[in-house]
Amino acid sequence: EKSGYASFMLKEIAEQPKAVADTLLGRVDESGTLLLDEVRVPPEVLRETSKVVVVACGTAFHAGLIAKYAIEHWTRLPCEVELASEFRYRDPILDHGTLVIAISQSGETMDTLMALRHAREQGAHVLAICNTNGSTIPRESDAVLYTHAGPEVAVASTKAFLTQLVACYLVALWLAQHRGEKFGDEIGEVVSELAGIPGDLERVLETMEPVRELARSLAGHDTVLFLGRHVGYPVALEGALKLKELAYMHAEGFAAGELKHGPIALIDQGLPVVVLVPSPRGRSVLHDKIVSNIQEIRARGARTVVIAEEGDEAVAPYADHLIEIPEVPTLLQPLVATVPLQVFACELATARGNEVDQPRNLAKSVTVE
Ligand code: M6R
């Protein structure tokens, strides 16, 4: 069943181009119109939504954090993202105008289920984004958009995450479409760029050997930090989570702008720091800020592992290790930037002698609160 791969995780990483293509299939037409009638959210609900709340756990929560940037930017609706385990204990403000999006690969995560039950009791409309047909979360939701990642066996989520992102982008664009937001050049570009993502992922996967080599060379380290800004921040959190789960290393993700508010004190001689660099095109302010963050940490001895767009010459001089990813619009960058982090964690875990498909203390679906 591993089809010649050493682990399910490696197989599932390799399946990501197909998983993304399958999740897009039939959901956008050639003119860029979103075709999501299957979701069965009544049009009046879409029009009358005044707030979006995303609830999820673990990696699915990171997908939600990224979705917030897309939803707010494309729909102009306020969007909150909350860990499902925290959500219902804080008396959240929910009503008929709230669209709650519950993201779950398994569809059985108890915290997410309890959060959506609470939301429905308060009158909110719940849309599930789920990878498992007929599981409890979609059954108990008002509507569902399935991700078509196929079965994910490894405990660490990889292809489910990428397809959750795709589903979130589709929902965001669809909400924008229904609410009459102007589909300007940017949205048209995003829709056609989404179609190119499977090809971009193939290219990323072909260039992973240096990432594997780097991972092996870091097997003796205790700590790895991850930094990002904007959508790169949740990607940093996801990179750190993968490393914790698989390599059992101390790994933390930070918003790069927070460095000077504390984390920079952790920077020490030789400490590996992975930095997600936004595209130098578009929002170049973000790019310039992160280049100066890289200079700051490098001046303090960090060993910088820089994930940047191909041809980004401004950042290259400050990268001890440069990992290049294809040019895609900023909001979509997590799709291509996450893959090297998955490969990195998987290889590092293997180099440390860990079982990657079944990390200690973890279960694939967490059906207790
Ligand atoms: O099945 P779910 O998407 O609801 O699971 C949520 C988390 O338990 C899950 O993403 C977990 O964090 C993974 N082990 C991450 O790799």
Side-chain angles (χ1 to χ4, degrees):
E1 320 142 344
K2 292 185 201 159
S3 320
Y5 289 93
S7 62
F8 279 106
M9 185 173 177
L10 282 173
K11 174 174 177 267
E12 288 161 8
I13 288 172
E15 284 170 349
Q16 292 182 111
K18 182 173 185 309
V20 165
D22 288 349
T23 300
L24 287 169
L25 196 70
R27 288 170 168 172
V28 193
D29 76 8
E30 282 136 29
S31 70
T33 305
L34 279 292
L35 309 170
L36 292 186
D37 291 350
E38 59 177 304
V39 176
R40 292 174 194 277
V41 177
E44 61 276 14
V45 171
L46 294 175
R47 275 195 309 271
E48 285 156 24
T49 294
S50 56
K51 179 172 86 168
V52 180
V53 176
V54 184
V55 291
C57 302
T59 287
F61 171 68
H62 297 153
L65 290 176
I66 293 165
K68 175 184 167 80
Y69 291 85
I71 290 171
E72 292 196 337
H73 186 62
W74 293 331
T75 71
R76 306 312 296 153
L77 283 169
C79 176
E80 296 167 16
V81 188
E82 188 143 1
L83 289 166
S85 55
E86 290 290 326
F87 179 70
R88 78 198 163 101
Y89 297 107
R90 71 167 171 92
D91 195 12
I93 300 165
L94 299 159
D95 59 26
H96 296 281
T98 313
L99 177 68
V100 171
I101 303 179
I103 309 176
S104 175
Q105 187 288 129
S106 62
E108 301 296 345
T109 299
M110 188 54 78
D111 285 316
T112 310
L113 179 62
M114 297 311 275
L116 83 83
R117 282 186 184 158
H118 182 75
R120 289 192 76 197
E121 279 162 16
Q122 309 294 309
H125 203 86
V126 177
L127 164 64
I129 290 179
C130 185
N131 196 46
T132 312
N133 267 305
S135 54
T136 312
I137 287 172
R139 272 197 280 115
E140 293 208 16
S141 298
D142 296 290
V144 55
L145 178 63
Y146 281 107
T147 48
H148 294 160
E152 191 181 65
V153 177
V155 166
S157 185
T158 54
K159 61 177 181 170
F161 176 65
L162 259 58
T163 61
Q164 284 160 356
L165 289 178
V166 170
C168 289
Y169 294 133
L170 292 175
V171 168
L173 294 167
W174 183 60
L175 274 171
Q177 180 175 293
H178 271 272
R179 297 173 57 81
E181 292 292 334
K182 289 273 168 292
F183 269 59
D185 290 351
E186 188 194 335
I187 292 189
E189 186 200 340
V190 164
V191 169
S192 66
E193 292 276 348
L194 267 176
I197 294 289
D200 293 328
L201 291 170
E202 295 283 3
R203 281 175 44 222
V204 173
L205 289 167
E206 280 160 17
T207 56
M208 287 297 96
E209 195 41 44
V211 175
R212 283 190 279 269
E213 247 167 62
L214 171 67
R216 290 192 289 270
S217 78
L218 297 178
H221 281 253
D222 301 321
T223 300
V224 179
L225 301 184
F226 294 77
L227 297 179
R229 280 177 180 264
H230 193 261
V231 289
Y233 168 45
V235 175
L237 296 178
E238 174 61 7
L241 178 63
K242 287 282 96 83
L243 207 57
K244 284 175 203 154
E245 287 189 285
L246 296 164
Y248 317 149
M249 286 168 84
H250 170 224
E252 273 193 84
F254 297 109
E258 275 292 293
L259 266 179
K260 55 187 170 302
H261 301 289
I264 200 160
L266 292 169
I267 307 292
D268 205 353
Q269 205 57 43
L271 179 78
V273 184
V274 180
V275 190
L276 282 306
V277 179
S279 168
R281 303 164 299 122
R283 275 162 242 219
S284 55
V285 187
L286 282 177
H287 177 268
D288 297 351
K289 293 244 175 203
I290 212 142
V291 174
S292 62
N293 293 140
I294 298 172
Q295 287 172 275
E296 282 158 14
I297 57 171
R298 205 156 179 261
R300 289 163 178 80
R303 179 168 166 189
T304 58
V305 179
V306 172
I307 303 189
E309 196 170 283
E310 284 158 348
D312 183 345
E313 280 162 20
V315 81
Y318 310 108
D320 294 311
H321 305 272
L322 182 63
I323 300 166
E324 291 191 307
I325 52 174
E327 237 187 82
V328 296
T330 303
L331 282 169
L332 303 187
Q333 203 197 43
L335 290 167
V336 289
T338 304
V339 178
L341 304 183
Q342 299 167 341
V343 172
F344 180 71
C346 188
E347 188 73 20
L348 230 161
T350 308
R352 285 162 75 94
N354 299 352
E355 163 54 62
V356 293
D357 287 337
Q358 195 54 257
R360 68 184 182 198
N361 309 337
L362 293 174
K364 182 64 182 164
S365 62
V366 183
T367 52
V368 289
E369 267 189 276

